[in-house]
Amino acid sequence: LLYNALLAIGFTKTHADHSASEIVDKNTIPIFIIVYVDDILALSPSNKVIKAFENQLTKHFVLTDKGPVKEYLAIEIIRQESSDKKGGFSIALSQRKFINALLSQYGIQNCKPVSTPFNEKEPLLPNPDIKPTSPEAYKLYQEQVGKAI
């Protein structure tokens, strides 16, 4: 249903991510739409273009406009107004809350950062002096790394 409505409005799916759609035409202001389940994120340099999109979509669905995005899929979106005379703003993305929750979940919230130098020219080889660990320890490690990625 949503996909058909987006097609009717003029959107096409991006090649990189099928949850993202776009209208990019040299004669119009671009707009990008990201969809995750029932959350729609509209991105455009023009508020008028976003408002026009919302108006078109309300012909097909009941929408709730939550205003400028502050968080999407556990990613905090920080907008900072530009200090130059041209106006505009910059956007920073952060997963600080997510990472802090992971650290707390595994009881390592007080760990200290450490630099881990890596020589790309040196091959990675198993250390024969390290004994295999338990399947439970492997599973926990895989879970921790998987959530962090």
Side-chain angles (χ1 to χ4, degrees):
L1 268 149
L2 177 60
Y3 176 69
N4 292 336
L6 291 175
L7 283 178
I9 295 169
F11 282 88
T12 57
K13 287 193 177 287
T14 64
H15 295 290
D17 185 347
H18 289 287
S19 67
S21 299
E22 63 186 351
I23 294 179
V24 179
D25 182 323
K26 63 182 177 185
N27 299 320
T28 62
I29 297 171
I31 182 169
F32 298 89
I33 305 302
I34 301 170
V35 178
Y36 182 77
V37 186
D38 63 349
D39 288 329
I40 301 172
L41 179 61
L43 306 163
S44 176
S46 167
N47 286 335
K48 287 181 182 179
V49 169
I50 291 174
K51 204 48 138 171
F53 164 71
E54 288 174 358
N55 290 337
Q56 289 178 317
L57 207 55
T58 56
K59 295 174 185 173
H60 304 275
F61 305 99
V62 175
L63 300 180
T64 303
D65 184 349
K66 296 182 179 177
V69 64
K70 292 180 176 66
E71 187 174 284
Y72 192 74
L73 303 179
I75 298 171
E76 184 182 5
I77 300 168
I78 305 145
R79 298 166 55 119
Q80 185 171 351
E81 298 293 327
S82 177
S83 59
D84 65 16
K85 293 179 182 174
K86 293 180 183 177
F89 57 89
S90 64
I91 294 176
L93 305 176
S94 172
Q95 288 189 291
R96 181 182 312 263
K97 285 194 252 179
F98 175 73
I99 295 300
N100 286 338
L102 276 181
L103 293 173
S104 294
Q105 178 182 354
Y106 294 110
I108 54 175
Q109 64 272 21
N110 295 320
C111 66
K112 305 289 183 231
V114 63
S115 175
T116 307
F118 179 73
N119 183 353
E120 301 122 16
K121 295 179 180 154
E122 196 172 309
L124 291 174
L125 301 171
N127 184 340
D129 298 331
I130 297 177
K131 295 178 182 167
T133 188
S134 69
E136 294 81 18
Y138 275 125
K139 187 175 188 300
L140 177 61
Y141 174 77
Q142 290 171 336
E143 180 182 307
Q144 291 171 334
V145 171
K147 285 184 178 183
I149 295 178

